[in-house]
Amino acid sequence: MEARLQCNNLTVSVANRELVKNLCLDIEPGSFVCVLGTNGVGKTLTLHTLAGLWPPATGDVTVCGDSLGTLARKEAARRLGLLLQIYEDAFPLSVMDIVLMGRYPRLSLWQWPDDRDREVVHTALQKFDLAGLEERVITTLSGGERERVALATLLVQDPVIWLLDEPMNHLDPHHQLSVLDILRETAHDGRIVFTTLHNPAMAMRYADHALLLYGDGEWEYGSAAELLEPSRLERLYQTPFDYYRNTRGERTLLMPA
C-alpha cells in the first residue's frame, strides 16, 4: 500500500479556540515531516486529529486514498501508527508482551502471535538498543527505555504512516540521534514520518518538510531547508536564533548566547 496522507481545510479546535485553521496537506511517500511550535499551539491535537482520535472542527483526513472516517479501526491501524507523548502502564507486563501488542493489527481473528511474530519483536528491540530486556517488567524501565519500547511497538505494527508525538522524550543524545536515523530510514523506505519535535536544529538536520504552528490558526508548510531559518523561527518561538557551522563546515541552527 502506498503511503499518502492528505487533509483538506482541516481545523483543529479546543475550548472554542481555533489552534490550526484550514490546514491543507498532501504528503507523499518518503516524506519526513517535522511539526514545530511552542507549547499549547496544537501540535499534539493535530496529530490526534490526523489519527482519528480528536474530531476536527472542519475538514477531513484521507489516508492512502480513503477517508479516515470510513476505515475500520483494525484497517486504520495497518495504515496509521501513533506514538503517544505520555504512557501509563496499568499492568506489570513484560517488554515482550508490550511490544507484541503491535502485531495485533497484522493478525487475523482468533490468531495468536507465533514464533515469527516474536522474531519480529526481537529484531525491533535490537534495532532500538533494547536487546536482553524482553522479560523485564515494563514498570521497571527508565523513561528513555520506555520511550524506545513504544517505538519498537510501532515498528512491529509496521504502518505506512508514522505519527509521532515527541519521540525524543527522555532520550539521551546518543539515542536521540539513533532514533532519528531510524525514522529517516523509515521515511526513505517509502513510508511517511510525521513527528513533533522541540529542537529546530534536529528538524533542520533530518526533516524534508516542516509544519510550523503558531497557535492562532496560522500555519506554514514547506521545505524544511526554506522554512527553518532564523527570522521565521524567532517569530515562531519568540526567541532569537542564528546559523552556526560545526567543525565539518555544516550549517546548523542554535539559540545564541
Side-chain angles (χ1 to χ4, degrees), residues 230-231 233-234 238-244 252-257:
S231 62
L233 289 173
E234 181 170 350
Q238 296 89 55
T239 302
F241 283 82
D242 206 347
Y243 286 127
Y244 293 85
T252 189
L253 285 160
L254 291 172
M255 290 183 290

Side-chain angles (χ1 to χ4, degrees), residues 114-134:
D114 56 20
D115 289 342
R116 182 179 59 180
D117 296 305
R118 289 180 173 80
E119 185 59 35
V120 171
V121 170
H122 284 297
T123 300
L125 292 175
Q126 186 173 27
K127 191 161 191 173
F128 284 103
D129 195 22
L130 295 164
L133 299 185
E134 289 84 352

Side-chain angles (χ1 to χ4, degrees), residues 201-202 204-205 242-246 250-254:
M202 289 293 193
M204 182 179 179
R205 177 172 177 174
D242 206 347
Y243 286 127
Y244 293 85
R245 292 192 182 275
N246 60 25
E250 299 165 338
R251 190 169 67 168
T252 189
L253 285 160
L254 291 172

Side-chain angles (χ1 to χ4, degrees), residues 163-221:
L163 304 175
L164 305 105
D165 197 2
E166 294 301 333
M168 302 298 99
N169 276 353
H170 310 295
L171 298 185
D172 58 68
H174 166 73
H175 286 109
Q176 287 184 17
L177 294 176
S178 174
V179 165
L180 286 169
D181 284 337
I182 292 170
L183 295 180
R184 180 167 59 185
E185 173 188 311
T186 298
H188 292 175
D189 280 344
R191 292 172 175 80
I192 290 171
V193 172
F194 189 94
T195 180
T196 65
L197 284 182
H198 275 303
N199 189 330
M202 289 293 193
M204 182 179 179
R205 177 172 177 174
Y206 284 93
D208 306 309
H209 297 82
L211 173 63
L212 309 184
L213 303 183
Y214 292 92
D216 58 356
E218 185 182 354
W219 54 274
E220 291 183 277
Y221 179 76

Side-chain angles (χ1 to χ4, degrees), residues 98-149:
I98 291 289
V99 181
L100 266 177
M101 291 181 186
R103 293 300 296 166
Y104 283 99
R106 300 292 168 185
L107 303 179
S108 60
L109 187 65
W110 306 117
Q111 182 182 359
W112 289 90
D114 56 20
D115 289 342
R116 182 179 59 180
D117 296 305
R118 289 180 173 80
E119 185 59 35
V120 171
V121 170
H122 284 297
T123 300
L125 292 175
Q126 186 173 27
K127 191 161 191 173
F128 284 103
D129 195 22
L130 295 164
L133 299 185
E134 289 84 352
E135 302 308 317
R136 279 276 296 276
V137 175
I138 193 70
T139 53
T140 69
L141 300 184
S142 71
E145 288 171 331
R146 182 62 183 88
E147 187 73 12
R148 285 181 281 127
V149 166

